[in-house]
Amino acid sequence: METLAAAAPALTAPVLTAPALGVPVDAALRDALADPVLRELLADEPAQDTPPPCDRPPPSVSLRPIGLCAAWSHHAADLALPLGAELQRWEETPTTAAMVARGEIVRLLPGVFLPPDLLGTSVRRALALGCALGEHLQSHHVIAGRSAAWVHLGGRPPASLELLSPAHRGILAGVVQRHARLGPGDIDTVGGAPVTTPRRTASDLLRFSPEAIARPLLRRLERAGLVEHEELRAHLHRLHRHPGVQEARERLDRALTPLAARSDTAQQDGTGRCGPRRAPEQPPTVRPLAGVRLEGPLITARSERTGPLSSP
């Protein structure tokens, strides 16, 4: 009882008030409020030892602009800046279609065009496709198929942009996306942009593109020294249970002539180049002249080749 009586005054002690703040406090906050720094902060008064603010403005921070291909890499974004500035967005009209047909502009995507003189290298062609995609470009997008063939070879781009991605396929206007697992040997980096290698590009053309479109592109890749028949055959042989592989193996021989067959039908001329083998020359056929009788040695010599000649 004495202990409780001694503790009673403490339990019933009046609530203290900080004279300078007007904030009710109890005994537990008394020591904290005794701190002058805390009192000044609570009273929203600057401390006496606070240094005066600097009169000079803070240094300006220059932000580096991010290009349209930043989803691929910073290198691609830097190289794509001039291409992004030249993008032309026009409506699809007969006028723009005629300009594309005349080669005055190049259509990258529906409504997105570039002047053809800006697409002279594979780096510019790859980055131009990334610029055309704009905000829809993802880091996992890889240029593939006919679009990759255009990047490697040039010419006129296909009507639809072809992409491969290990992620789920999305829906974009004018874009054909396929889901695929790509290994390190399937991708080339062109100006910071991922593009399927010529070998993988040729394989995809054989598997997914119509033969009328795939065959001329494969021959252009072969003439450029980017693919070979036997290399493609070995690559297709390693693709087990992939869609379209069996048909691609059959189409390969129709698109590219095997090396052994080319050596059988070619002969080397004096310049060291191989050309088609010429057919053996046939002996000339001697026909009797109308109204003229052939006599003497001429008849004997000619008749050994053409048989006996009858006089008219």
Side-chain angles (χ1 to χ4, degrees):
M1 296 298 293
E2 295 178 357
T3 305
L4 293 176
L11 294 175
T12 59
V15 177
L16 300 179
T17 302
L21 301 175
V23 180
V25 295
D26 55 13
L29 297 178
R30 185 180 305 166
D31 296 335
L33 291 175
D35 188 351
V37 177
L38 181 59
R39 291 171 63 89
E40 291 175 358
L41 291 176
L42 293 175
D44 198 18
E45 295 179 0
Q48 296 298 327
D49 56 349
T50 302
C54 182
D55 296 334
R56 294 177 299 176
S60 60
V61 179
S62 59
L63 299 178
R64 185 167 61 93
I66 300 177
L68 292 174
C69 296
W72 277 335
S73 65
H74 289 293
H75 181 54
D78 291 337
L79 295 178
L81 283 175
L83 290 174
E86 296 292 336
L87 281 179
Q88 301 175 10
R89 301 184 182 275
W90 294 342
E91 295 183 0
E92 293 288 346
T93 63
T95 302
T96 56
M99 295 176 65
V100 171
R102 292 194 299 264
E104 299 174 1
I105 55 176
V106 175
R107 179 189 289 107
L108 302 175
L109 281 178
V112 183
F113 306 88
L114 264 181
D117 57 347
L118 299 179
L119 303 172
T121 65
S122 59
V123 172
R124 291 185 176 183
R125 290 190 289 269
L127 295 177
L129 295 178
C131 291
L133 286 170
E135 61 182 5
H136 300 291
L137 180 65
Q138 302 294 326
S139 59
H140 51 76
H141 285 158
V142 179
I143 302 173
R146 285 175 286 179
S147 296
W150 177 67
V151 170
H152 292 304
L153 299 172
R156 180 172 295 183
S160 300
L161 171 58
E162 294 191 27
L163 298 174
L164 286 181
S165 172
H168 184 71
R169 291 178 294 180
I171 299 177
L172 295 175
V175 179
V176 176
Q177 297 188 70
R178 294 194 306 272
H179 177 80
R181 295 180 179 180
L182 298 171
D186 293 331
I187 301 176
D188 277 342
T189 302
V190 180
V195 185
T196 54
T197 61
R199 183 188 63 186
R200 177 60 191 252
T201 300
S203 172
D204 290 343
L205 289 173
L206 288 169
R207 293 167 58 195
F208 303 114
S209 295
E211 189 167 359
I213 295 176
R215 181 181 296 181
L217 290 176
L218 287 171
R219 291 179 177 176
R220 289 182 61 192
L221 288 170
E222 184 186 38
R223 288 196 299 267
L226 299 177
V227 297
E228 294 181 357
H229 180 277
E230 299 304 325
E231 179 188 10
L232 277 178
R233 177 175 291 279
H235 175 69
L236 292 174
H237 182 73
R238 291 192 296 267
L239 296 180
H240 301 290
R241 299 181 180 179
H242 284 66
V245 171
Q246 184 60 37
E247 184 180 0
R249 294 170 183 170
E250 299 172 357
R251 295 169 61 181
L252 175 60
D253 292 336
R254 296 195 297 267
L256 300 180
T257 306
L259 181 61
R262 290 202 305 269
S263 62
D264 291 342
T265 59
Q267 64 178 1
Q268 193 164 359
D269 57 15
T271 61
R273 295 174 298 181
C274 291
R277 177 175 295 178
R278 297 178 181 178
E281 296 183 359
Q282 299 295 331
T285 301
V286 178
R287 299 181 181 274
L289 300 177
V292 178
R293 181 183 298 274
L294 300 179
E295 298 178 351
L298 180 61
I299 296 178
T300 305
R302 299 290 177 87
S303 62
E304 291 178 357
R305 294 183 179 181
T306 62
L309 301 176
S310 60
S311 60

